[in-house]
Amino acid sequence: MPENTQENTRENTVFAPWDDPEAAPLIEFRNVTKRFGTFTAIDDLTLDIYAREFFALLGPSGCGKTTIMRMLAGFEDPSEGEIRLGGADLAGVPPNRRPVNMMFQSYALFPHLSVWDNIAFGLRRSDMARDKARIAARVEEMLKLTRLEKFARRKPHQISGGQRQRVALARSLAKAPRLLLLDEPLGALDKKLRQETQFELMDIQERTGTTFVIVTHDQEEAMTVASRVAVMDHGKIVQVDTPASIYEAPNSVYVADFIGEINIFKGRASAPKDGFCEIGFAEGLAPIRARAPEDMQGEAEVSFAIRPEKVEISPERPQARERANAYPGKVIDIAYLGNISTYHVALAGGQKVKVQAANTRRIQRRSITWDQQVWISFTDTAGVVLTR
Amino acid sequence: MRRLALIALPYLWLLVLFLVPFLIVVKISLSDQALAIPPYTPTLDLSAGWQGIRDWASGLDLENYWFLTDDPLYWKAYLSSLRIAVLSTLLTLMVGYPIAYGMARAPDHWRPTLMMLVILPFWTSFLIRVYSWKAILSQEGLLNQFLLWLGVIHEPLTILNTNTAVYIGIVYTYLPFMILPIYAALEKLDQSLLEAAEDLGCSRLSAFWLITVPLSKQGIIAGCFLVFIPAMGEFVIPALLGGSRTLMIGKVLWEEFFSNRDWPVASAVAVVLLMILIVPIILFQRNEQRNREAEG
Amino acid sequence: MRRLSWFNLTSLTLGLAFLYLPMVILVIYSFNGGKLVTVWAGFSTKWYGALFHDKAFLKAAWITLKVAVISSTVATLLGTMAALVLVRAGRFFGRTLFSGMIYAPLVMPDVITGLALLLLFIAIGLDRGVFTIILAHITFSMCFVSVVVASRLQSFDRSLEEAALDLGCTPLDAFRSVTLPIIAPAVISGWLLAFTLSLDDLVISSFTSGPSSTTLPIKIFSAVRLGVNPEINALSTIMIAIVSTGVITASLLSKRSIARRAREEQEAFAS
């Protein structure tokens, strides 16, 4: 499986400049605020992005992620604060003087120019403007990188959506920018093509060593391609971390809910004892035992969040020693998705819990069916306790 | 059956009242002038059978066309019409493009109003709009009064009854025809294309030349044809604003017909004018077709 | 929110001033007391009075109106049929010729069309008068109508008609109850276009009119050929007033209905 090998190489080369106090960031946002009239699009943002990163800005539409990108490209100026690139303030530098290129959401391919001329467009306005041979060589290189050699003479309307996406990528990469901005780069493609293109993007990012900043509202896409993900809400960054940390250790209900599927139990947590607390979430049911967050002191109103795949479902009550938390319930819905099945289980208190189980054997869990009484259970470290 | 009726009615109407009249014009342009009313001979006498048709055909010749080449009045009038039409088309483009551009760049909620303001003159009488310049351009007219008051000139300028007045009249009356197609093209222009050009190193001005102008080309072409073709055959504007020395073929045709009552020569003038216009008309329709296909 | 740059603002202001100043001046001077159009001699409406007592003008105005109403109505009928043929009829013998005959009159110089029609009327021995003017006006304005209606028909969703047929309409019934109401705005603007073209036409009317069928534009043209005429200023002002009221009302009405539609859609989503 080629996907797996790629995944492994990424894991093996430990690339984590954000953990290295010596590393100098490529992009620095320092207390940046952007207002449009009375509307605050970006609210006091401070953020570092490092060279060679594949950085994803993730959030629902209107959260300010596109504004961040447009400020980097130079189409908007911050109302307050400063943005630095390689240590130099970007204020007042027009878009055409920035070593930053952008791949537009609409691709913005010039309809009157061929694929070749679209890619050469930026080069003709760079320091190699007079060197026709170098431009040609660079364009050919880009065509090869994006596998577009055969389409060089075509106009944008004569190629497919996926090919257009690659032309847009080639055009923005041609000038070898220090930073490439990608605004919903795969938004216009269908699902299958999207998944293929995600790996292609990662591959090209690694081969060219360019810093990529991608804007997306698709959490799966952000998780797949990015080295770090920033989850945004209403002009603020809620959490910045690697995809794995964001998934396993969300810092808030917002992030937990935004990334993937999750069960939330709202309740009151007891004061932590030996690093664990107990959360009462329903009358007549035993409290959930879970690892308390480090900053928690005394009792608190909390949300307990647990991923569906970390919950076990069984017809019988499991052994209490292995699974600290176990509750009886009734299956109200089953969704068979091929590789996995999702069960919706209603607990006695009315709380509904989603459980995901892998279908590793051909005929598995045949025994569990609609309206059946079952047990759900999870360990005391399977979920996270969120205080906000 | 119903389909046939649907096609036949407008088809026959246009055949009888559009195509046949042109064939008559062509035929008369090949006939001799006679003093009788109708002032041309010979007429086709179908009762005489094949012989009648033969007589009719033998009566046709190119005499009227030779006459057009003989008299310098005619080819000078064609050339002068061509010059006036081309120049005023370019002037209209120069005046109209910035207006169309301003409209396309205006805030969204202004655009319907601006659009209506540009279209409104199109609905008001063409004749009246041309006439309104008479009071402005005459010797004692408002423009001269204004310039004298400013102190720019000391003697009133003669503008009315010159070619300058004709240029002003054409630019004024045909301006909406130039603005609307260009505006339509500019309005469709995706703003992110200009941002992409800037992102790739263009200045604002070079982005305008490299992206905006080529992408509004279809609108420019359509607008130029819409001004050039009718301007070429214009009669009202030279008749009201031009002088006795303003030579335009539409005026010549009118005078040939109403003053000299020389119908064969008038017909020959019309046929030659049509020959000159047929190329731009076909080019225009091809351009329109391409636009429609590009949209579809 | 985009703001207009000073360049765009200037070009818009100058452009609109250029378009409107001559007409504004014309309107102002129609209220001039003096006979000289260029010298202001106090406010007066006497030229309007004179105009309404001028029998020849009133007669010409009546003929013009009659011609415009009849010709634009017939032209709308024929033009809509022609549009249906252009968009719907598919292939038939002489289709290219047909679409050529629809598009050519749009750009044909008036002097040629006028001359050609006159020679036809003489050849078939038709006496020139109101009837020949009407025939001529129908011929050129039906082409404008068909272009306007055809462009609406092109964007018409055929499945609406198919749905009507599916629900039991005959083709004619489907056309009347589904297609026509949807293309109605285009048909109406086609009629208005034909109407104003007819009101406005000087050259073709001059060729095809007889001695007793002088239209308003012919009258105006002979009056202003030699100079400025205050009565014509008054007449022009009336015509400008009628047209602008009509156009502005129509556009306000359509704007209102668009706004109402948008509001209703929003409410539908909200509920």
Side-chain angles (χ1 to χ4, degrees):
Chain A
M1 296 273 279
E3 283 89 346
N4 279 344
T5 44
Q6 215 153 25
E7 210 42 48
N8 287 339
T9 47
R10 283 168 76 85
E11 294 294 318
N12 293 343
T13 52
V14 183
F15 172 74
W18 47 88
D19 289 334
D20 177 6
E22 300 285 300
L26 177 69
I27 305 288
E28 298 161 82
F29 283 82
R30 289 287 169 266
N31 305 99
V32 171
T33 295
K34 174 66 185 176
R35 278 182 288 266
F36 296 103
T38 55
F39 172 70
T40 306
I42 298 295
D43 189 5
D44 193 29
L45 174 89
T46 296
L47 173 69
D48 290 336
I49 299 171
Y50 296 85
R52 306 179 71 89
E53 252 201 277
F54 200 139
F55 192 90
L57 291 162
L58 177 64
S61 57
C63 70
K65 55 194 194 304
T66 303
T67 308
I68 293 184
M69 175 154 295
R70 292 176 61 82
M71 286 195 292
L72 282 170
F75 297 119
E76 308 285 354
D77 289 320
S79 311
E80 281 162 36
E82 64 174 12
I83 305 172
R84 274 181 267 176
L85 176 80
D89 190 359
L90 278 174
V93 182
N96 50 352
R97 299 272 167 74
R98 293 188 181 198
V100 174
N101 284 124
M102 177 149 165
M103 191 182 141
F104 288 77
Q105 185 174 7
S106 62
Y107 305 151
L109 298 181
F110 304 127
H112 57 305
L113 301 179
S114 67
V115 167
W116 207 96
D117 287 326
N118 260 290
I119 297 174
F121 191 94
L123 299 171
R124 294 198 172 120
R125 265 148 278 277
S126 65
D127 48 2
M128 61 172 86
R130 290 181 194 292
D131 196 343
K132 286 233 173 75
R134 260 181 78 200
I135 291 179
R138 181 70 181 160
V139 173
E140 295 300 334
E141 190 186 333
M142 285 297 122
L143 286 169
K144 207 168 154 203
L145 182 72
T146 49
R147 296 180 288 114
L148 283 165
E149 297 99 321
K150 271 187 265 170
F151 307 103
R153 292 288 144 215
R154 300 234 187 130
K155 291 276 178 69
H157 67 269
Q158 294 165 322
I159 56 179
S160 74
Q163 288 157 352
R164 277 180 220 177
Q165 190 268 351
R166 299 212 298 273
V167 178
L169 183 64
R171 186 179 73 178
S172 49
L173 273 175
K175 289 177 85 173
R178 294 181 67 184
L179 174 65
L180 183 72
L181 306 168
L182 303 100
D183 188 359
E184 301 272 4
L186 311 175
L189 306 181
D190 61 50
K191 198 173 176 199
K192 200 162 157 44
L193 195 55
R194 246 175 123 108
Q195 285 169 345
E196 286 169 24
T197 315
Q198 283 168 1
F199 292 110
E200 203 172 272
L201 265 186
M202 286 154 63
D203 187 39
I204 286 174
Q205 193 261 342
E206 254 169 70
R207 265 158 58 192
T208 57
T210 314
T211 311
F212 277 27
V213 173
I214 182 174
V215 155
T216 178
H217 66 272
D218 177 347
Q219 46 104 2
E220 232 174 88
E221 184 174 299
M223 305 285 282
T224 311
V225 299
S227 57
R228 280 196 305 161
V229 177
V231 182
M232 294 192 64
D233 182 32
H234 288 103
K236 279 185 176 296
I237 287 182
V238 187
Q239 186 172 10
V240 186
D241 221 322
T242 58
S245 306
I246 291 226
Y247 188 80
E248 298 292 342
N251 68 357
S252 61
V253 175
Y254 178 81
V255 175
D257 201 26
F258 196 81
I259 309 281
E261 283 196 272
I262 201 146
N263 295 300
I264 305 276
F265 297 77
K266 284 192 194 319
R268 186 153 188 88
S270 64
K273 210 165 80 191
D274 305 329
F276 286 89
C277 62
E278 300 202 319
I279 304 152
F281 69 98
E283 286 288 321
L285 290 178
I288 296 168
R289 181 183 155 82
R291 174 163 284 157
E294 277 165 26
D295 56 349
M296 196 171 107
Q297 279 150 2
E299 292 187 19
E301 290 296 325
V302 296
S303 300
F304 175 75
I306 185 162
R307 301 280 176 199
E309 74 272 16
K310 299 228 160 59
V311 184
E312 179 94 351
I313 187 167
S314 51
E316 311 286 322
R317 185 181 180 128
Q319 291 284 312
R321 195 160 303 163
E322 292 164 18
R323 307 213 148 241
N325 305 290
Y327 301 95
K330 192 170 86 171
V331 176
I332 51 173
D333 232 334
I334 304 174
Y336 175 74
L337 302 172
N339 54 344
I340 53 166
S341 288
T342 304
Y343 302 88
H344 291 229
V345 178
L347 303 190
Q351 172 102 29
K352 290 194 181 70
V353 182
K354 270 188 240 167
V355 182
Q356 237 168 39
N359 298 327
T360 47
R361 270 173 285 162
R362 258 193 77 207
I363 307 162
Q364 204 195 17
R365 280 177 247 271
R366 258 273 164 86
S367 50
I368 296 176
T369 177
W370 278 270
D371 290 336
Q372 191 181 337
Q373 294 294 332
V374 292
W375 282 84
I376 61 151
S377 57
F378 44 90
T379 65
D380 51 8
T381 53
V384 282
V385 176
L386 302 168
T387 49
R388 60 186 170 115
Chain B
M1 210 45 228
R2 201 179 281 126
R3 178 170 174 268
L4 193 67
L6 181 71
I7 297 175
L9 196 55
Y11 206 141
L12 284 179
W13 185 286
L14 287 172
L15 273 184
V16 172
L17 282 142
F18 187 76
L19 193 64
V20 170
F22 278 103
L23 299 180
I24 296 177
V25 172
V26 173
K27 199 210 92 179
I28 290 175
S29 73
L30 299 170
S31 312
D32 289 327
Q33 188 186 6
L35 289 172
I37 299 275
Y40 56 86
T41 54
T43 43
L44 176 56
D45 184 9
L46 280 177
S47 57
W50 181 239
Q51 188 57 40
I53 295 173
R54 280 247 293 272
D55 285 348
W56 173 75
S58 65
L60 302 177
D61 56 48
L62 291 170
E63 190 185 331
N64 296 307
Y65 292 90
W66 297 129
F67 179 68
L68 293 191
T69 55
D70 268 359
D71 190 335
L73 167 78
Y74 297 102
W75 59 262
K76 272 188 183 157
Y78 283 117
L79 277 184
S80 154
S81 293
L82 202 62
R83 200 181 58 231
I84 289 174
V86 167
L87 260 176
S88 46
T89 302
L90 291 179
L91 284 172
T92 316
L93 177 62
M94 275 157 59
V95 176
Y97 199 97
I99 300 175
Y101 187 79
M103 281 171 71
R105 284 307 188 85
D108 288 350
H109 58 280
W110 284 23
R111 285 195 210 164
T113 313
L114 288 172
M115 189 73 173
M116 203 193 68
L117 284 173
V118 171
I119 293 174
L120 188 59
F122 172 79
W123 290 92
T124 44
S125 168
F126 180 81
L127 189 57
I128 289 174
R129 279 185 295 144
V130 177
Y131 161 68
S132 69
W133 281 94
K134 269 189 110 106
I136 298 173
L137 297 178
S138 66
Q139 283 260 305
E140 61 279 7
L142 293 163
L143 183 63
N144 272 322
Q145 286 180 27
F146 181 66
L147 292 176
L148 285 169
W149 175 77
L150 274 184
V152 183
I153 53 168
H154 299 289
E155 294 277 296
L157 300 170
T158 310
I159 307 172
L160 191 63
N161 304 333
T162 64
N163 282 358
T164 315
V166 175
Y167 287 123
I168 293 174
I170 294 177
V171 172
Y172 178 68
T173 47
Y174 289 112
L175 193 57
F177 290 106
M178 185 63 88
I179 294 176
L180 293 175
I182 296 178
Y183 169 71
L186 286 176
E187 204 216 0
K188 269 185 284 175
L189 186 77
D190 180 1
Q191 209 56 30
S192 65
L193 291 179
L194 295 178
E195 285 184 349
E198 273 187 68
D199 186 64
L200 294 166
C202 273
S203 66
R204 288 259 167 113
L205 193 67
S206 62
F208 174 79
W209 285 113
L210 288 166
I211 310 298
T212 310
V213 171
L215 288 178
S216 54
K217 197 178 76 190
Q218 298 297 330
I220 295 173
I221 294 173
C224 285
F225 278 126
L226 282 175
V227 175
F228 172 81
I229 296 169
M232 186 71 198
E234 188 50 58
F235 164 73
V236 176
I237 296 171
L240 286 183
L241 301 179
S244 51
R245 289 174 55 205
T246 304
L247 263 182
M248 281 196 78
I249 203 66
K251 219 175 117 196
V252 169
L253 194 155
W254 178 284
E255 277 157 9
E256 209 57 67
F257 187 85
F258 284 107
S259 313
N260 302 345
R261 303 197 67 77
D262 190 339
W263 296 14
V265 168
S267 300
V269 168
V271 170
V272 173
L273 175 56
L274 201 58
M275 295 296 189
I276 296 174
L277 287 182
I278 206 95
V279 174
I281 287 174
I282 288 171
L283 286 177
F284 171 67
Q285 290 190 354
R286 212 176 270 172
N287 185 57
E288 289 297 286
Q289 187 127 28
R290 218 171 4 203
N291 278 1
R292 271 198 299 276
E293 275 160 17
E295 260 158 49
Chain C
M1 194 75 255
R2 280 184 292 168
R3 287 218 324 274
L4 272 180
S5 68
W6 66 267
F7 174 81
N8 289 331
L9 202 61
T10 320
S11 60
L12 276 179
T13 317
L14 287 179
L16 290 176
F18 177 62
L19 278 176
Y20 282 92
L21 217 49
M23 280 189 278
V24 170
I25 290 170
L26 192 72
V27 170
I28 292 173
Y29 275 85
S30 74
F31 294 104
N32 186 6
K35 183 139 184 72
L36 282 173
V37 175
T38 49
V39 185
W40 183 255
F43 181 85
S44 157
T45 53
K46 72 177 184 193
W47 301 117
Y48 290 87
L51 189 68
F52 283 112
H53 286 103
D54 191 328
K55 286 253 163 58
F57 263 121
L58 291 179
K59 188 180 170 230
W62 173 239
I63 290 175
T64 310
L65 207 62
K66 206 160 59 180
V67 168
V69 169
I70 298 173
S71 71
S72 58
T73 308
V74 180
T76 305
L77 244 137
L78 283 171
T80 307
M81 288 174 81
L84 282 168
V85 173
L86 274 182
V87 179
R88 297 281 180 82
R91 299 185 157 276
F92 59 89
F93 180 73
R95 197 199 140 85
T96 318
L97 176 66
F98 184 74
S99 70
M101 288 193 301
I102 291 287
Y103 285 104
L106 304 182
V107 285
M108 188 65 64
D110 288 348
V111 280
I112 300 183
T113 314
L115 179 71
L117 281 165
L118 168 66
L119 296 177
L120 170 81
F121 294 145
I122 287 171
I124 60 176
L126 204 58
D127 275 343
R128 281 175 286 158
V130 175
F131 182 63
T132 47
I133 302 180
I134 291 175
L135 285 184
H137 284 195
I138 292 170
T139 308
F140 74 81
S141 49
M142 71 174 272
C143 302
F144 284 88
V145 175
S146 72
V147 169
V148 171
V149 176
S151 77
R152 182 73 190 84
L153 269 178
Q154 237 136 23
S155 61
F156 178 83
D157 183 1
R158 275 309 275 274
S159 61
L160 293 176
E161 231 171 50
E162 286 162 1
L165 294 173
D166 183 60
L167 295 169
C169 281
T170 64
L172 197 64
D173 201 11
F175 177 77
R176 207 175 42 219
S177 54
V178 175
T179 316
L180 203 55
I182 293 175
I183 63 168
V187 175
I188 292 170
S189 47
W191 185 88
L192 281 172
L193 184 61
F195 184 77
T196 46
L197 285 171
S198 168
L199 277 189
D200 202 19
D201 174 65
L202 164 72
V203 175
I204 293 172
S205 301
S206 297
F207 277 100
T208 53
S209 69
S212 65
S213 57
T214 306
T215 64
L216 209 49
I218 300 177
K219 198 86 191 139
I220 296 174
F221 181 69
S222 58
V224 303
R225 187 144 203 200
L226 299 173
V228 181
N229 177 327
E231 257 180 56
I232 299 294
N233 286 4
L235 178 66
S236 309
T237 304
I238 294 171
M239 289 173 75
I240 291 173
I242 293 172
V243 168
S244 14
T245 326
V247 173
I248 291 171
T249 315
S251 78
L252 284 182
L253 283 180
S254 86
K255 201 172 161 185
R256 263 244 305 271
S257 82
I258 290 170
R260 196 180 56 217
R261 204 195 150 109
R263 204 177 51 237
E264 283 167 359
E265 272 172 10
Q266 221 163 24
E267 280 164 9
F269 269 113
S271 61

